[in-house]
């Protein structure tokens, strides 16, 4: 059973930055891919970015050029550096991964960007 714990959310003014962290525990295996999703009120959960254990990354169009996802030095940790934040980035951000065909989610961390 993989557990994911996110941290780093908060309230920031438009144009500001936040760094989200996610740490996975409960497995000795290196997770192949770790992802960040977000869900704004009244909207569907959407993929923001993903990073493979080898470092390959993918971004949603809304995140390109502003957000950077990276693997941490510790096994099964991931960061999401968010710059030039906009009010429309306001959402609960969730860490996600999968192992042996089962998907796991963190509890989410709130990001609120004020205008």
């Amino acid at each position: 059973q993989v557990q994911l714990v996110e941290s780093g959310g908060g309230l920031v003014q438009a144009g500001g930055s936040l760094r989200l962290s996610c740490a996975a525990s409960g497995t000795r295996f290196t997770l192949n891919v770790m992802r960040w999703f977000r869900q704004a009120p009244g909207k569907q959960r959407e993929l923001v970015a993903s990073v493979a254990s080898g470092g390959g990354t993918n971004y949603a169009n809304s995140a390109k050029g502003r957000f950077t996802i990276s693997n941490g030095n510790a096994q099964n940790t991931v960061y999401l550096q968010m710059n030039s934040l906009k009010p429309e980035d306001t959402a609960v951000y969730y860490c996600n991964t999968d192992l042996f065909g089962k998907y796991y989610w963190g509890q989410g961390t709130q990001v609120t960007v004020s205008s």
Side-chain angles (χ1 to χ4, degrees):
Q1 187 80 1
V2 176
Q3 296 87 39
L4 299 170
V5 178
E6 305 104 330
S7 61
L11 174 63
V12 64
Q13 288 188 332
S17 298
L18 283 174
R19 188 192 196 205
L20 305 184
S21 302
C22 174
S25 61
T27 179
R28 60 182 175 88
F29 296 101
T30 298
L31 298 167
N32 288 332
V33 181
M34 296 187 75
R35 310 171 187 89
W36 285 100
F37 283 77
R38 68 185 182 187
Q39 187 167 21
K43 295 189 177 181
Q44 288 189 327
R45 193 171 296 190
E46 62 176 359
L47 178 64
V48 176
S50 63
V51 60
S53 56
T57 59
N58 282 291
Y59 295 93
N61 287 335
S62 59
K64 287 179 182 177
R66 300 187 300 126
F67 295 1
T68 302
I69 190 170
S70 60
N71 288 311
N73 290 329
Q75 184 188 32
N76 296 335
T77 59
V78 64
Y79 300 104
L80 184 67
Q81 177 67 43
M82 304 186 294
N83 298 329
S84 301
L85 283 161
K86 305 175 183 179
E88 50 263 44
D89 294 317
T90 295
V92 178
Y93 285 70
Y94 296 92
C95 186
N96 165 273
T97 192
D98 61 279
L99 183 65
F100 303 133
K102 187 172 181 180
Y103 286 81
Y104 300 91
W105 295 89
Q107 81 286 354
T109 186
Q110 177 70 46
V111 171
T112 303
V113 185
S114 63
S115 57

